[in-house]
Amino acid sequence: MNNYERNALYELKMWQLEMLNQPSLTSRLSKGIQNRMNGLVPEKAHKVVTETIKGMVKAVLFGSELTAAAPLFNAPLQERELLLNERITFYKRTAAAGGAWTGAGGIFLGMADFPILLSLKLKFLFDAAAIYGFDAANYKERLYILYIFQLAFSSQERVMEIYQQVKDWQSFSQALPEDINSFDWRTFQQEYRDYIDLAKMLQLVPVIGAAVGAVANYRLMDKLGTTTMNAYRLRLLGP
């Protein structure tokens, strides 16, 4: 193991500790409020939102084999992560530009940013899988992408649960159903929606929407970049 790999392993261990942190009081209170608000939403509305997000994710994640880049084989970790950091920078800038543009356009364009940003995140995850040498044309690798997504954009309670599932992905994935419709889409959409609600709602406010949209999208993509890097380090260096 070279110096770069030792440093990466140290960063991975620190990230793993973060995944296991108990939720703070603020986090628990916030989640409790969000759960009560979700309880007030009619079941029909939940089903509509769940099906909408499910449809968007499936369209990107399972709609075309062309979205899966050829995996990079026989490359050292440092080379892989140099490429990954370049992709993170590109996607952060793209997401920020999109957030600023839609945020400046008021409520209708602001709402349009939601599927655009979701698509960017998923496309980044495809790039990352290939960079780390995993074939995203494989069904189980696409499921791993969904689990990384949840690690990045879920409450701490949910993060702890997901981390326990992915830390030994090879064993866990063998028990997963082959039918993507069996995936827990309801929890997926609620956790994601709750995580980004405040930032995206502020993006709809006139005058400040552009600035908020740019910063929010940049930070959300940055969070996904860090989570993705460590999630794949977990596969290569962990658990």
Side-chain angles (χ1 to χ4, degrees):
M1 183 174 288
N2 58 35
N3 287 336
Y4 185 90
E5 290 169 344
R6 280 192 289 270
N7 185 62
L9 182 60
Y10 173 78
E11 291 178 358
L12 171 62
K13 296 299 182 184
M14 294 300 100
W15 178 80
Q16 288 178 284
L17 291 176
E18 289 181 20
M19 295 298 99
L20 295 172
N21 280 344
Q22 291 296 322
S24 66
L25 177 60
T26 301
S27 175
R28 291 197 299 270
L29 290 173
S30 175
K31 186 60 179 174
I33 293 171
Q34 288 170 332
N35 287 340
R36 285 195 291 273
M37 292 177 65
N38 284 330
L40 297 174
V41 176
E43 181 61 24
K44 185 176 182 179
H46 277 303
K47 289 182 178 179
V48 169
V49 175
T50 297
E51 288 301 315
T52 299
I53 293 181
K54 176 182 175 182
M56 287 192 298
V57 174
K58 286 176 67 178
V60 176
L61 209 56
F62 297 94
S64 173
E65 295 300 323
L66 295 177
T67 59
L72 175 63
F73 295 123
N74 302 318
L77 183 65
Q78 186 171 4
E79 179 182 335
R80 296 183 192 279
E81 297 196 341
L82 178 63
L83 292 172
L84 184 72
N85 280 316
E86 290 175 354
R87 300 311 292 160
I88 290 173
T89 298
F90 169 78
Y91 279 100
K92 284 195 298 187
R93 290 174 178 171
T94 303
W101 177 72
T102 54
I107 186 168
F108 293 110
L109 279 180
M111 292 175 67
D113 184 55
F114 183 88
I116 294 171
L117 182 60
L118 183 61
S119 179
L120 280 175
K121 290 170 180 173
L122 292 171
K123 288 177 180 178
F124 162 72
L125 286 166
F126 268 86
D127 287 354
I131 286 170
Y132 279 101
F134 296 98
D135 187 359
N138 182 292
Y139 171 79
K140 292 294 176 71
E141 291 302 330
R142 297 190 184 201
L143 285 181
Y144 192 69
I145 283 173
L146 284 181
Y147 279 82
I148 295 175
F149 194 98
Q150 291 181 98
L151 279 175
F153 305 120
S154 296
S155 64
Q156 186 59 26
E157 293 94 332
R158 181 66 174 161
V159 165
M160 293 169 67
E161 179 183 343
I162 294 296
Y163 170 73
Q164 293 296 340
Q165 294 168 340
V166 303
K167 70 176 183 178
D168 186 8
W169 178 251
Q170 185 172 357
S171 297
F172 176 71
S173 63
Q174 292 175 359
L176 290 172
E178 291 294 336
D179 182 8
I180 190 59
N181 292 306
S182 300
F183 185 77
D184 187 358
W185 292 104
R186 171 79 170 254
T187 300
F188 179 90
Q189 68 89 2
Q190 284 188 346
E191 290 286 339
Y192 180 57
R193 188 187 63 198
D194 289 349
Y195 187 93
I196 70 171
D197 255 355
L198 179 59
K200 304 314 286 181
M201 287 303 101
L202 288 175
Q203 187 176 337
L204 305 181
V205 178
V207 181
I208 68 169
V212 170
V215 173
N217 283 9
Y218 187 93
R219 289 181 176 176
L220 289 168
M221 191 60 74
D222 185 63
K223 173 72 181 297
L224 181 60
T226 299
T227 303
T228 301
M229 178 178 287
N230 283 293
Y232 280 111
R233 284 174 172 175
L234 191 63
R235 300 277 297 276
L236 298 178
L237 302 175

